[in-house]
Amino acid sequence: MRGARDLHRAPSREDLYSSQRSIDSVASRSLLTGNGTGMSGVGIFFQQEGDGKVYVRTIVSGGSAERDGRVRVGDVMCGVDGRDVIGEPVSVLRSLLLGHEGSTVVLTFARAVEAGMDAETSDMNSGNTVIAKFDVELVRGSPEYFNKMDSARKYEIEMQDLRHQLKQTLSEEKEISEEVERVRRVLQLERGASARREKELEEIRSSHAREVASLSESLRRAEQSRREASGRLAPVKSREQELSEELARMKEKDRLRKEYVEELRKRHEEETSRLEAQLAKEQRARREEQAARIEVERELEKSRKELKKELDIQRSTVDQDKSYREQVESSKKKLRDVVETMESLYAMMKDLDDWNNHVQDGQLHTKLVSNRHTMSNDSRW
């Protein structure tokens, strides 16, 4: 098996023509664009060498592989849709790659990469490089097909934009129609209201004419009544003149009365001021007297407290004297009790001494009797 470096070695002209299993131009063109029956490839020219491996020789501009961008010249074809094609004849590879335009195929390639890269590796390695396998999903079709697809996609985008614009236009037209319909209804309502207002205005005019006629008649009657009243008001005016003179006299009397009242008010204010001053003086004297009384009461209260304190002290002294006397009396009583007790003890001691003496006398008598008896016995002997 060849090393990783041989995978990236560009095939020379001698290799191309020395290999008995090299793919000819017709086969390569079939893998690229199909065989004229509606079948298409993935836009790659392959080369099969003597060891049976198929290499990527050329990537067609505008094809599916170039649009994907992951396939490189020199990559080794390893599988198609999960099937291992290493060592397979070109006819099998062509039958697997060709398909209807727009269908997809998953190609597995092998490529020499630096060791340590995150990729699936095989058991073929040489030095610091390893063989990494990767899958690429490509769409079958010629560059013209993809150009048509791009044009169709652009056309679809433009159609979507046009549909969106048309939808907006229809929406705006609908809004305008609704606004026109609303304005039309408003105009109809305004026309109806205008007709009603004209009718009401006509009624108001006729009513106004009737009212003017009625007011004119009332004015004529009022003028006639005024003239009649003027004739009746002549004696009333003379009476009014008399009343005016009487009113003038009453006003003069009222003025004099007001002057008299004003004089009385001034006198009253002066008397009130004098009384207020006197009252203020008396209040000050009363306050001073009250302050003196309060001071005297404070002194009396202070004297009462001191007297109470003295009385408390005297009462305490009397209580202490009484307690002392009671203690003395109690001591005297206790002393008398002690004396009586001692006298009783003395009497008891005297009685005890007498009893002891009596007992001793009895013992002596008994002893004497015993001695006498003993002596009598001895004399008998």
Side-chain angles (χ1 to χ4, degrees):
M1 299 180 73
R2 295 192 176 188
R5 295 180 181 177
D6 294 336
L7 291 175
H8 283 285
R9 182 176 60 85
S12 63
R13 185 178 296 275
E14 289 78 12
D15 293 332
L16 292 174
Y17 291 100
S18 63
S19 177
Q20 297 179 358
R21 301 177 64 184
S22 298
I23 301 175
D24 57 9
S25 60
V26 176
S28 298
R29 191 177 300 110
S30 298
L31 292 175
L32 173 65
T33 60
N35 53 10
T37 59
M39 308 295 284
S40 298
V42 292
I44 301 175
F45 283 106
F46 295 94
Q47 174 184 343
Q48 190 173 28
E49 294 189 353
D51 57 359
K53 294 180 181 178
V54 178
Y55 295 87
V56 176
R57 188 183 73 181
T58 306
I59 297 176
V60 179
S61 176
S64 178
E66 186 190 40
R67 293 167 67 90
D68 184 89
R70 288 179 288 176
V71 182
R72 301 177 185 175
V73 175
D75 291 343
V76 178
M77 171 71 75
C78 296
V80 178
D81 287 332
R83 176 178 174 178
D84 188 6
V85 296
I86 296 177
E88 294 287 344
V90 177
S91 59
V92 175
L93 183 62
R94 182 169 55 249
S95 64
L96 294 175
L97 287 176
L98 293 178
H100 294 286
E101 287 184 339
S103 61
T104 59
V105 61
V106 178
L107 304 181
T108 302
F109 293 94
R111 181 185 301 165
V113 297
E114 294 293 333
M117 295 183 64
D118 187 11
E120 182 180 358
T121 60
S122 67
D123 56 352
M124 296 184 296
N125 53 37
S126 176
N128 294 327
T129 60
V130 294
I131 303 303
K133 290 184 178 181
F134 59 95
D135 294 334
V136 179
E137 184 178 4
L138 300 176
V139 180
R140 296 185 179 96
S142 62
E144 292 79 5
Y145 168 76
F146 289 111
N147 291 333
K148 290 179 182 179
M149 291 296 294
D150 292 340
S151 300
R153 190 175 294 106
K154 292 180 181 178
Y155 176 74
E156 182 66 24
I157 293 172
E158 291 177 357
M159 288 299 295
Q160 289 179 359
D161 293 338
L162 290 174
R163 290 192 191 97
H164 182 66
Q165 293 177 3
L166 179 61
K167 187 176 180 181
Q168 289 182 348
T169 303
L170 292 175
S171 177
E172 293 176 357
E173 183 179 358
K174 184 178 179 181
E175 292 177 357
I176 293 171
S177 300
E178 292 176 354
E179 183 67 20
V180 170
E181 182 65 21
R182 187 182 65 80
V183 172
R184 187 179 62 79
R185 289 196 298 269
V186 171
L187 288 175
Q188 289 178 355
L189 294 174
E190 289 292 335
R191 289 194 189 99
S194 178
R196 288 193 299 272
R197 285 196 295 270
E198 289 179 358
K199 186 176 180 180
E200 292 174 356
L201 184 60
E202 186 65 26
E203 292 177 355
I204 290 171
R205 286 173 182 169
S206 60
S207 176
H208 179 67
R210 289 193 298 272
E211 289 179 357
V212 168
S214 176
L215 290 174
S216 299
E217 181 66 19
S218 299
L219 183 61
R220 185 184 63 79
R221 292 177 182 176
E223 183 65 22
Q224 184 178 359
S225 299
R226 187 185 65 78
R227 287 195 295 269
E228 293 176 357
S230 298
R232 290 195 297 269
L233 283 176
V236 175
K237 288 183 178 179
S238 62
R239 179 60 180 168
E240 183 180 1
Q241 183 66 27
E242 293 176 358
L243 291 175
S244 298
E245 294 175 356
E246 183 68 23
L247 180 61
R249 288 193 296 271
M250 291 178 67
K251 286 182 178 180
E252 181 65 20
K253 290 181 181 180
D254 186 62
R255 184 182 65 79
L256 295 174
R257 184 181 60 80
K258 286 182 178 179
E259 290 179 355
Y260 178 71
V261 170
E262 183 67 21
E263 183 68 22
L264 291 177
R265 187 182 64 78
K266 289 181 179 180
R267 291 179 182 177
H268 177 70
E269 288 179 354
E270 291 176 357
E271 185 67 20
T272 301
S273 300
R274 186 181 64 78
L275 292 174
E276 286 178 353
Q278 185 176 358
L279 179 62
K281 185 177 180 181
E282 291 178 356
Q283 287 178 352
R284 284 196 299 272
R286 190 178 295 110
R287 284 196 295 269
E288 291 175 357
E289 182 181 357
Q290 187 176 3
R293 186 182 300 111
I294 291 171
E295 185 66 25
V296 171
E297 288 178 355
R298 288 178 181 174
E299 291 294 333
L300 288 174
E301 184 67 23
K302 186 176 180 181
S303 299
R304 289 193 193 97
K305 289 181 179 179
E306 291 178 355
L307 181 59
K308 184 178 180 181
K309 187 175 181 181
E310 291 293 333
L311 290 174
D312 292 338
I313 293 171
Q314 290 180 3
R315 190 178 294 109
S316 176
T317 304
V318 171
D319 292 338
Q320 290 178 359
D321 292 341
K322 184 177 180 181
S323 176
Y324 178 72
R325 291 192 186 95
E326 290 177 354
Q327 291 178 0
V328 170
E329 291 295 330
S330 177
S331 299
K332 289 180 179 180
K333 185 177 180 181
K334 289 180 180 179
L335 184 58
R336 285 195 297 270
D337 293 339
V338 169
V339 171
E340 291 177 357
T341 303
M342 289 180 67
E343 289 177 353
S344 177
L345 288 174
Y346 288 149
M348 291 174 65
M349 289 175 65
K350 185 177 180 181
D351 292 339
L352 184 60
D353 290 338
D354 294 339
W355 185 78
N356 286 330
N357 293 328
H358 180 70
V359 170
Q360 289 177 0
D361 291 341
Q363 290 178 354
L364 181 59
H365 178 71
T366 303
K367 189 175 180 180
L368 291 174
V369 171
S370 178
N371 290 331
R372 288 176 183 173
H373 181 69
T374 302
M375 289 177 65
S376 64
N377 290 331
D378 290 340
S379 62
R380 271 197 309 264
W381 288 99

